Amino acid sequence: MMPPTDVPTGNVLIVGAGPTGLLLAGDLAAAGVGCTVLECRAEETTDLTRAFAVHARTLEMLDARGVADELVATGTRAGRLRLLGSTDLDMSRLPGRFPYVLVTPQYETERVLKERAVAAGATIVYGAEAVGLRQDAAGVDVDARTADGATRTFRASYVVGADGVRSTVRRALGLPFPGRAVVRSVMLADVRLDEAPAGALTAGAVGDAFAFVAPFAEGWYRVIAWNRHHQVPDSEPVDMEELREAVRRALGTDHGMRDPRWTSRFHSDERQVPHYRVGRVFLAGDAAHVHSPAGGQGMNTGMQDAANLGWKLAAELRGWAPSWLLDSYHEERYPVGRVVLRRSGALLRFTLAEPRWLHIARAHLSTPDT
């Protein structure tokens, strides 16, 4: 093992170069704080992604950082969401510059945030997988296996684990991640459609199936679907006829779905770590909380974690933070994560419910006002 890398004092090491880690890196670098990001993935662009919805509050946050307009230019503005049959959620009356949900692939969000972070002075090390962590009164050592197979040790004043649901940082801290799977065998696919849906975002459910359709770049559509009667492991391939049938049941049509370029299955958990801070180490994004995909809040909540933490770390390292400031990160963001977990879980359970009275309620909600 190599000795710790020679780095200046007062720096932050971030594990994970997703939207949460990249926004945090940009904030720290812009504040003059030395910042290095470790990312286990190779530095390659991809046109495959799960997250795609950027909410109005997140766009306001990005606007304050000067990158919202660039991101908006990459996607589709969904001012109306078609939900539960013919029910429309109209967001055009929301106050502010962004009365819509922006539909854009996660890789575009990451690109914009990466360019900002690097321009501000952050360093991103790709192909570096964190494998161990130790902290003392003065700092934190993180062992990382680099692309050449060597193990390198990075030392920082503070470390932030933004490394997702399987967080190495969280495991190294010995923290539990209590919760459970709430829905299994959810199908994902990027497809072409012969008939475009009427709305930018379309969702529907009938108790034993749900489906969600959103436009992506260059004529592709992201489809998310679930079939109560075929619950198989995540490793099971997605059969296109099963996907079409689930979408037809939930939406009334499969919109001429064809030519999949990518398919996958996943299961959705509800989990939250009990402590967002342990000494000099913090957790943010999916490393701290995961919840159902209902509402598309995962990426947005993580980026807002980063916005809360970044200026507090900068204040501490620049010497003007009160003694309680870093602890306020957990105190403020843990309750937010808990609320998101509960509300998205309740929405998912309502969507998937089978009892007759809930079917009646959904039918009533789907009836337009006269």
Side-chain angles (χ1 to χ4, degrees), residues 1 129-134 141-145 151-154:
M1 182 178 298
E129 179 185 6
V131 294
L133 178 151
R134 301 167 302 283
D141 292 330
V142 174
D143 302 326
R145 186 178 298 114
T151 298
R152 180 180 175 188
T153 300
F154 295 79

Side-chain angles (χ1 to χ4, degrees), residues 82-230:
R82 187 182 178 191
L83 305 170
L84 300 176
S86 59
T87 299
D88 282 344
L89 176 62
D90 184 2
M91 294 179 290
S92 64
R93 297 181 182 179
L94 288 175
R97 290 189 59 213
F98 308 103
Y100 50 81
V101 171
L102 177 68
V103 182
T104 190
Q106 181 176 322
Y107 58 78
E108 292 288 6
T109 302
E110 291 182 357
R111 177 188 61 79
V112 169
L113 293 175
K114 174 187 172 182
E115 290 174 357
R116 170 180 177 256
V118 171
T123 299
I124 304 176
V125 182
Y126 287 94
E129 179 185 6
V131 294
L133 178 151
R134 301 167 302 283
Q135 61 176 314
D136 53 44
V140 189
D141 292 330
V142 174
D143 302 326
R145 186 178 298 114
T146 53
D148 59 5
T151 298
R152 180 180 175 188
T153 300
F154 295 79
R155 184 164 177 84
S157 297
Y158 293 96
V159 167
V160 180
D163 50 341
V165 64
R166 298 179 180 85
S167 172
T168 298
V169 175
R170 187 186 63 243
R171 293 198 302 268
L173 293 172
L175 288 173
F177 204 32
R180 63 189 181 90
V182 292
V183 61
R184 300 181 183 277
S185 200
V186 180
M187 296 174 283
L188 296 178
D190 286 353
V191 300
R192 301 286 191 186
L193 299 181
D194 289 334
E195 302 171 1
L201 297 177
T202 301
V206 291
D208 62 350
F210 75 72
F212 183 92
V213 179
F216 262 22
E218 300 175 350
W220 292 99
Y221 286 81
R222 166 60 50 85
V223 175
I224 305 175
W226 177 80
N227 175 7
R228 185 186 297 278
H229 305 298
H230 190 59

Side-chain angles (χ1 to χ4, degrees), residues 51-93:
F52 52 81
V54 185
H55 293 180
R57 179 68 189 97
T58 305
L59 288 170
E60 291 172 348
M61 189 177 68
L62 296 177
D63 195 33
R65 290 158 174 78
V67 295
D69 289 341
E70 181 181 358
L71 185 61
V72 168
T74 69
T76 301
R77 305 179 189 189
R80 283 182 174 269
L81 306 185
R82 187 182 178 191
L83 305 170
L84 300 176
S86 59
T87 299
D88 282 344
L89 176 62
D90 184 2
M91 294 179 290
S92 64
R93 297 181 182 179

Side-chain angles (χ1 to χ4, degrees), residues 174-358:
L175 288 173
F177 204 32
R180 63 189 181 90
V182 292
V183 61
R184 300 181 183 277
S185 200
V186 180
M187 296 174 283
L188 296 178
D190 286 353
V191 300
R192 301 286 191 186
L193 299 181
D194 289 334
E195 302 171 1
L201 297 177
T202 301
V206 291
D208 62 350
F210 75 72
F212 183 92
V213 179
F216 262 22
E218 300 175 350
W220 292 99
Y221 286 81
R222 166 60 50 85
V223 175
I224 305 175
W226 177 80
N227 175 7
R228 185 186 297 278
H229 305 298
H230 190 59
Q231 301 289 287
V232 296
D234 293 352
S235 58
E236 186 79 11
V238 173
D239 178 75
M240 280 300 294
E241 186 51 43
E242 179 194 1
L243 183 67
R244 291 188 186 97
E245 176 59 24
V247 173
R248 283 195 292 265
R249 289 210 308 272
L251 301 181
T253 176
D254 65 11
H255 295 284
M257 189 186 309
R258 58 181 171 80
D259 301 334
R261 65 174 177 178
W262 174 71
T263 63
S264 179
R265 291 184 192 267
F266 74 98
H267 67 276
S268 176
D269 287 355
E270 288 181 351
R271 300 184 184 275
Q272 187 176 29
V273 74
H275 305 288
Y276 283 24
R277 179 189 183 186
V278 177
R280 291 178 170 269
V281 183
F282 299 81
L283 296 172
D286 286 354
H289 48 79
V290 293
H291 36 77
S292 94
Q297 299 182 81
M299 181 177 69
N300 293 273
T301 306
M303 292 167 68
Q304 290 167 28
D305 288 346
N308 182 284
L309 180 58
W311 72 271
K312 294 174 179 178
L313 284 171
E316 176 68 23
L317 290 169
R318 299 184 71 174
W320 60 267
S323 60
W324 49 263
L325 186 62
L326 288 182
D327 283 336
S328 73
Y329 169 66
H330 171 85
E331 293 166 359
E332 293 171 0
R333 295 305 299 173
Y334 180 88
V336 171
R338 176 62 65 186
V339 168
V340 171
L341 187 149
R342 289 176 175 171
R343 289 181 177 175
S344 61
L347 179 58
L348 182 69
R349 289 175 179 85
F350 180 81
T351 300
L352 303 183
E354 288 189 295
R356 179 174 175 77
W357 73 269
L358 281 177

